[in-house]
Amino acid sequence: DNYYLLKEDNQAIFNYESAIELGVENADYAYYQMARSFGYKSEYENQIGALKKVIEKYPNSIYHVPAVYELGDSYLKAEDYVNALFYFKEIVEEHPENGNARKALYNTGLIYFRQAKYKFAEDIFNQVVDDYPNSEEKNSAVSAMQDVYIAQDKLTQYAKWLNSKGIDHSTTDLD
């Protein structure tokens, strides 16, 4: 773990692979940390492979749900939106109590926005604002909603939406 903490990803990956080959008891942890090291290097294909090992081999591991979220996030970074949506949906629907559920929901809206599926993005961002009112994701969803309305040339509707949610827009840029 020292190499991981020092961000010496190549050495960390080598050590995690060695530990897995030796059959350590906590191989789920080694796969998960190895996946994160690959992610730091933007090696998403390798990251995805390691995360899938956690999910497939260790369904009862404490790293299972975080690995599902990280898998969705890896696919998002790789711009594979179909697979990203699949894993984010699993988090939101099967693990709504997990802290990653609100991130997965927000990222779902982000994907729909990137795909120019504005109605879907609006619905998702609304849900984030309503379901997670005191979260960082709520603030991000409010900002993303502005982008959704701008993309549709409906900025005046954004101000109405802010009012309907009771959100002060005196500090937002509606020009």
Side-chain angles (χ1 to χ4, degrees):
D1 277 347
N2 288 337
Y3 290 113
Y4 174 82
L5 294 172
L6 294 171
K7 303 273 189 238
E8 293 182 23
D9 299 312
N10 290 331
Q11 189 62 46
I13 290 166
F14 175 79
N15 286 353
Y16 291 129
E17 285 176 333
S18 297
I20 291 165
E21 287 174 14
L22 290 172
V24 294
E25 203 173 293
N26 57 345
D28 56 339
Y29 174 79
Y31 276 117
Y32 184 71
Q33 293 298 94
M34 183 170 60
R36 295 185 75 189
S37 294
F38 281 128
Y40 292 138
K41 295 175 59 172
S42 300
E43 292 183 15
Y44 301 121
E45 192 172 311
N46 290 329
Q47 182 181 29
I48 288 166
L51 290 167
K52 283 186 173 182
K53 293 279 189 195
V54 175
I55 292 167
E56 293 164 5
K57 292 180 135 196
Y58 308 98
N60 298 319
S61 168
I62 62 170
Y63 301 104
H64 180 86
V65 175
V68 172
Y69 173 77
E70 293 284 340
L71 192 51
D73 196 51
S74 298
Y75 280 121
L76 173 61
K77 289 174 182 167
E79 298 182 357
D80 181 344
Y81 298 141
V82 171
N83 280 311
L85 287 170
F86 176 83
Y87 289 102
F88 289 148
K89 181 179 179 181
E90 181 178 334
I91 291 291
V92 171
E93 292 182 357
E94 295 182 27
H95 308 283
E97 75 293 340
N98 186 278
N100 287 323
R102 65 181 185 269
K103 295 177 194 175
L105 190 61
Y106 171 78
N107 284 337
T108 298
L110 186 64
I111 290 168
Y112 287 137
F113 174 74
R114 290 180 181 175
Q115 294 176 324
K117 295 179 180 178
Y118 300 125
K119 178 62 178 135
F120 289 119
E122 281 182 52
D123 292 345
I124 296 297
F125 291 140
N126 262 314
Q127 186 178 349
V128 172
V129 169
D130 292 343
D131 291 355
Y132 305 102
N134 300 314
S135 70
E136 181 181 320
E137 289 75 21
K138 177 242 180 185
N139 297 333
S140 297
V142 169
S143 178
M145 191 67 97
Q146 182 175 8
D147 295 335
V148 169
Y149 282 112
I150 289 171
Q152 298 176 86
D153 199 26
K154 298 179 179 180
L155 194 54
T156 56
Q157 286 184 336
Y158 176 65
K160 291 177 186 174
W161 177 79
L162 288 170
N163 287 335
S164 76
K165 297 294 182 183
I167 298 170
D168 177 28
H169 57 84
S170 62
T171 59
T172 60
D173 182 18
L174 295 177
D175 297 325

